[in-house]
């Protein structure tokens, strides 16, 4: 893993430690959440800026089950400045029950931050995710891009929840196959 990316993950994790597992007041996790349907590859279509992903494109997340029942999280992005993939592996656990889309995720030791799935398409094709406050937002999709009309709709949902949608970053997804450890 790129040393700078690792340092940024550590700094990001420490920042999340302060708030741990809360969520913004305008955001409520989805109910009837089905982890098995959520597992697999997701592409980052939009995000708010934060240090641990700054400068990365072709960002994806891959979720699978660890032997201990927790969720393995592999975040990956292309660092064009370093001309290499940067990857961080973490672990997520449910805050309450597995049918509520509120998890805590850690990329650094015992320090966890909120991961709140607050909007999810019925077919699990698109998810809107928040951190512990309105500074953390991700629009994830099973496909690398979305039609403009759909994208506008999701941005409107995020705006109504209080996120600063004028500051969204739309990472390039120009690498057809985002690599995972399995196919490197």
């Amino acid at each position: 893993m790129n040393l700078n990316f690792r340092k940024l993950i550590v700094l990001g994790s420490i920042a999340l430690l302060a708030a741990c597992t809360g969520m913004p007041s305008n955001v409520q996790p989805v109910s009837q959440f089905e982890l098995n349907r959520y597992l697999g590859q997701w592409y980052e279509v939009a995000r708010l800026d934060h240090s641990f992903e700054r400068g990365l494109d072709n960002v994806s997340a891959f979720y699978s089950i660890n032997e201990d029942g927790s969720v393995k999280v592999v975040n990956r992005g292309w660092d064009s400045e370093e001309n290499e993939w940067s990857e961080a592996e973490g672990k997520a656990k449910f805050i309450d029950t597995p049918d509520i889309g509120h998890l805590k995720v850690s990329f650094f030791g015992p320090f966890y931050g909120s991961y709140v799935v607050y909007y999810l398409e019925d077919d699990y094709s698109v998810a809107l995710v928040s951190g512990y406050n309105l500074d953390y937002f991700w629009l994830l999709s099973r496909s690398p891009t979305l039609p403009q009309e759909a994208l506008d709709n999701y941005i409107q949902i995020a705006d109504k929840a209080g996120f600063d949608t004028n500051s969204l970053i739309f990472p390039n997804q120009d690498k057809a196959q985002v690599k995972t450890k399995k196919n490197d």
Side-chain angles (χ1 to χ4, degrees):
M1 174 179 9
N2 175 305
L3 184 58
N4 289 333
F5 190 60
R6 187 176 301 196
K7 286 179 185 175
L8 292 175
I9 291 294
V10 169
L11 291 174
S13 295
I14 290 169
L16 288 176
L17 173 63
C20 295
T21 58
M23 70 182 91
S25 60
N26 295 347
V27 167
Q28 293 299 314
V30 297
S31 58
Q32 299 178 345
F33 183 80
E34 296 177 40
L35 178 60
N36 285 335
R37 293 181 68 196
Y38 197 80
L39 297 175
Q41 186 81 32
W42 289 88
Y43 298 93
E44 186 180 272
V45 176
R47 70 172 181 258
L48 287 174
D49 187 34
H50 44 81
S51 61
F52 49 93
E53 280 189 281
R54 192 162 291 141
L56 297 180
D57 282 311
N58 296 288
V59 178
S60 67
F62 190 86
Y63 303 97
S64 59
I65 301 291
N66 286 315
E67 288 183 19
D68 67 0
S70 64
V71 179
K72 180 179 180 180
V73 181
V74 178
N75 287 344
R76 188 162 189 166
W78 180 255
D79 185 333
S80 56
E81 188 174 301
E82 298 289 329
N83 201 32
E84 66 184 15
W85 289 101
S86 293
E87 185 174 285
E89 187 174 313
K91 179 188 285 194
K93 299 177 180 180
F94 284 96
I95 299 291
D96 294 313
T97 61
D99 64 335
I100 303 294
H102 187 194
L103 296 92
K104 58 183 182 178
V105 64
S106 175
F107 290 95
F108 180 67
F111 308 115
Y112 284 85
S114 249
Y115 183 97
V116 184
V117 180
Y118 77 93
Y119 179 88
L120 187 60
E121 287 292 348
D122 290 339
D123 64 357
Y124 283 63
S125 62
V126 173
L128 302 183
V129 178
S130 172
Y132 71 93
N133 67 24
L134 294 173
D135 294 335
Y136 295 90
F137 168 81
W138 296 268
L139 191 166
L140 305 177
S141 174
R142 295 295 187 170
S143 62
T145 59
L146 292 171
Q148 190 62 49
E149 184 177 327
L151 182 60
D152 291 344
N153 178 56
Y154 298 126
I155 291 171
Q156 184 177 17
I157 293 168
D159 187 64
K160 285 182 181 176
F163 294 97
D164 180 7
T165 56
N166 291 322
S167 297
L168 287 175
I169 294 169
F170 300 90
N172 291 325
Q173 288 288 359
D174 57 350
K175 297 190 181 300
Q177 174 85 26
V178 174
K179 296 182 180 183
T180 63
K181 283 185 173 181
K182 291 181 181 178
N183 65 11
D184 274 353

